[in-house]
Amino acid sequence: MRGPACVPLGWALLTLALVPVCWAEIYTSLLDVKQLISVERKLVDYLRTYIDHEWERLEDIRRFYAKVSDLHSELYKGPGTATANPLVAFTLIKRLHSEWLNLVYSDEALENAQALRSSFEQEEAVLPKLEDLQGAANGLMRLQDVYALQVGSLVMGRFQRVTNGKPIDVYMPAVSVPLSGDDCFLVGKVAYEQEDYYHSVQWLEESVRLFRGTGGEWSPENEGTLEDALDHLAFSHFKTGNVSHALSLSQELLHYDPMNGRVLENVEKYEKLLFAAAPPRGGDLRRPTSNYLRTRDTYERLCQTQGSQPVHFENPRLFCDYFTNNSPWLLLLPIRREVLSVQPYVVLYHDFITDTEAEDIKRLAQRGLRRSVVAAGEKQATADYRISKSAWLKGSAPSVVGKLDLRISLLTGLNVKHPYGEYLQVVNYGIGGHYEPHFDHATSPSSPVFKLKTGNRVATFMIYLSSVEAGGSTAFIYANFSVPVVEKAAIFWWNLHRNGEGDVDTLHAGCPVLIGDKWVANKWIHEYGQEFHHRCSLNPAE
């Protein structure tokens, strides 16, 4: 059975030297996506210039047309009378010899189009690549899955899920746009090419519906057509076992392309399958499996609740207070502390950073942002389960980074100076940006975490540099709670027990960002250098 033919759709320290902005993997950072607005603004200006020039050209053509048609409706009415005038005869001969040729074979249209292409090519290096379109499409499908969003609602620009048979708004964005049939086709095509027919069926169904609504009329900016959408949808249904639907869609496609040999062949095979003694059953869409399947249900529930677990927070051992950590520096200005969990120990420090400091940190990080990586044996590599860009900032005492280091040290009582504390990592999340369940501490002796030769990551201090409208919570999977993004706050937890063993209850995830631009800064603190700050113990329960 043949489907439709498709075109295949750090640990290294980053200094603050002026380097070109990295335009690779745009979809992994919302900062890069925002910068595309200014790029398209230039393209709009180029197109306006092209339209103006073409308008002038068409006006010349319209004037020529009016002149010639007036001659035929007035001057040339009588047979042979006009051409008796040698001036009239001369202008007729000249017009047919040169004026029509100059008009028909004019290079002006080509020159105008070439000028537009040249202007476009000046910006081409910073335009999204195929991987960005695929990444953005996968981001939409990720949001669809994690937040149980209805594709039909997404197409209308709304974020809804069905609860008790009724659509419920998950979030009402201030700015939204509906999707076209071609938009849906491209998302469905990305899923199709990944052999993810669970998603391709849903998105291509919407594409076919929208294309049908326009009467199948094609627009020059579209990549797909109604025929393309029908073709991909029919084969997607076949792959999910819904042969009867695949047959009806293929038959509809033959109305538009009756001589398509591949579709004719598929129709014949679908009919044979349906008339067989035991026709295949199917049509039950199932989500693809994932490498975090064991915790997927918990992970997605914690992301959907966006930090609200009333039973968890009724724990009498949890409290809020003004915290000084017995530091003279904090006596006059204690920080608001909220203990979120006892096991694992997780605490939220409110108003840890100022607006000015947060903006300074983001500004310092912008030129160093590169695709975030994860440990892959002894090396590091990019991964689909971490969609963001990050930069490492080397701080000095007078800088804003140095001030944050001092503040972290005062609150935690730990030595955070390099190499006992890693350089500050600043992260900006992309479209549907997330980080699936993981540990911050190393779970393998070959992990790059040990390159600093200062032991494992004993603790994590994460600063929220921005707010988000929806999504983006930090979910602790086994501890069964999640923390929403609290702008200017910081969250702290211990990764290791006092005996140096990893705390499995710290398995956590960064939920996909539904609406908003999420920035965080991570400070990872290592075991060595804490000998006089955080006592050890042989008791595995501590």
Side-chain angles (χ1 to χ4, degrees), residues 94-105:
K94 173 183 176 288
R95 197 164 54 249
L96 290 170
H97 176 267
S98 59
E99 291 182 17
W100 275 96
L101 269 68
N102 291 339
L103 192 73
V104 172
Y105 293 104

Side-chain angles (χ1 to χ4, degrees), residues 313-342:
F313 287 105
E314 288 174 4
N315 187 336
R317 300 174 65 191
L318 305 179
F319 60 89
C320 299
D321 65 359
Y322 283 94
F323 184 64
T324 66
N325 200 25
N326 296 319
S327 168
W329 294 75
L330 299 174
L331 284 176
L332 295 179
L333 192 62
I335 196 162
R336 287 190 298 147
R337 177 179 66 165
E338 182 179 353
V339 179
L340 303 175
S341 172
V342 176

Side-chain angles (χ1 to χ4, degrees), residues 231-347:
D231 203 1
H232 286 74
L233 179 58
F235 198 74
S236 295
H237 273 301
F238 167 73
K239 295 297 287 186
T240 62
N242 195 339
V243 180
S244 61
H245 205 171
L247 175 60
S248 63
L249 290 167
S250 298
Q251 289 170 334
E252 180 182 352
L253 177 55
L254 287 176
H255 287 295
Y256 300 100
D257 190 6
M259 302 306 294
N260 190 316
R262 177 179 49 76
V263 178
L264 286 167
E265 180 182 320
N266 286 349
V267 165
E268 182 181 351
K269 291 184 178 181
Y270 295 155
E271 289 175 339
K272 287 181 179 179
L273 286 170
L274 287 173
F275 284 106
R281 297 180 180 180
D284 182 21
L285 296 179
R286 296 181 181 274
R287 280 177 60 183
T289 58
S290 70
N291 55 6
Y292 65 104
L293 186 61
R294 289 184 305 153
T295 62
R296 183 165 72 181
D297 291 345
T298 302
Y299 164 63
E300 293 181 354
R301 175 177 56 79
L302 292 173
C303 290
Q304 291 173 20
T305 55
Q306 298 181 5
S308 174
Q309 288 84 42
V311 175
H312 176 82
F313 287 105
E314 288 174 4
N315 187 336
R317 300 174 65 191
L318 305 179
F319 60 89
C320 299
D321 65 359
Y322 283 94
F323 184 64
T324 66
N325 200 25
N326 296 319
S327 168
W329 294 75
L330 299 174
L331 284 176
L332 295 179
L333 192 62
I335 196 162
R336 287 190 298 147
R337 177 179 66 165
E338 182 179 353
V339 179
L340 303 175
S341 172
V342 176
Q343 177 52 43
Y345 180 78
V346 182
V347 61

Side-chain angles (χ1 to χ4, degrees), residues 130-284:
L130 181 60
E131 65 176 347
D132 294 305
L133 178 61
Q134 292 174 323
N138 282 319
L140 291 181
M141 290 184 275
R142 183 181 311 118
L143 294 174
Q144 170 196 344
D145 289 347
V146 173
Y147 296 106
L149 302 176
Q150 296 297 297
V151 174
S153 298
L154 287 172
V155 170
M156 295 186 293
R158 305 187 67 172
F159 297 84
Q160 294 180 324
R161 73 168 63 103
V162 173
T163 304
N164 297 325
K166 296 181 179 179
I168 303 296
D169 285 322
V170 175
Y171 186 79
M172 289 291 291
V175 178
S176 188
V177 293
L179 300 182
S180 68
D182 192 57
D183 294 333
C184 297
F185 171 71
L186 285 172
V187 177
K189 185 180 177 186
V190 169
Y192 178 94
E193 290 171 346
Q194 295 170 168
E195 299 184 359
D196 173 7
Y197 303 110
Y198 169 82
H199 289 104
S200 70
V201 163
Q202 296 179 71
W203 285 92
L204 290 171
E205 287 277 13
E206 290 297 323
S207 176
V208 166
R209 180 182 65 81
L210 291 168
F211 275 135
R212 282 172 177 160
T214 61
E217 183 179 345
W218 180 77
S219 297
E221 69 270 21
N222 287 354
E223 177 175 319
T225 63
L226 174 59
E227 295 96 300
D228 292 328
L230 287 168
D231 203 1
H232 286 74
L233 179 58
F235 198 74
S236 295
H237 273 301
F238 167 73
K239 295 297 287 186
T240 62
N242 195 339
V243 180
S244 61
H245 205 171
L247 175 60
S248 63
L249 290 167
S250 298
Q251 289 170 334
E252 180 182 352
L253 177 55
L254 287 176
H255 287 295
Y256 300 100
D257 190 6
M259 302 306 294
N260 190 316
R262 177 179 49 76
V263 178
L264 286 167
E265 180 182 320
N266 286 349
V267 165
E268 182 181 351
K269 291 184 178 181
Y270 295 155
E271 289 175 339
K272 287 181 179 179
L273 286 170
L274 287 173
F275 284 106
R281 297 180 180 180
D284 182 21

Side-chain angles (χ1 to χ4, degrees), residues 439-443 449 456-458 460 495-496 501-504 506:
F439 294 108
D440 279 357
H441 61 274
T443 56
V449 167
N456 210 338
R457 290 171 172 172
V458 67
T460 294
N495 293 309
L496 307 179
E501 295 294 322
D503 186 347
V504 296
T506 63

Side-chain angles (χ1 to χ4, degrees), residues 461-525:
F461 198 97
M462 184 171 70
I463 307 165
Y464 293 116
L465 301 175
S466 67
S467 62
V468 297
E469 286 81 357
S473 299
T474 303
F476 287 84
I477 310 303
Y478 294 140
N480 194 33
F481 74 99
S482 57
V483 185
V485 175
V486 181
E487 188 177 15
K488 297 186 292 184
I491 184 171
F492 171 78
W493 67 87
W494 297 105
N495 293 309
L496 307 179
H497 293 294
R498 287 187 181 272
N499 66 352
E501 295 294 322
D503 186 347
V504 296
D505 286 336
T506 63
L507 183 72
H508 64 286
C511 296
V513 180
L514 184 57
I515 302 287
D517 186 8
K518 182 181 176 182
W519 288 80
V520 301
N522 297 308
K523 186 73 174 182
W524 286 299
I525 306 163

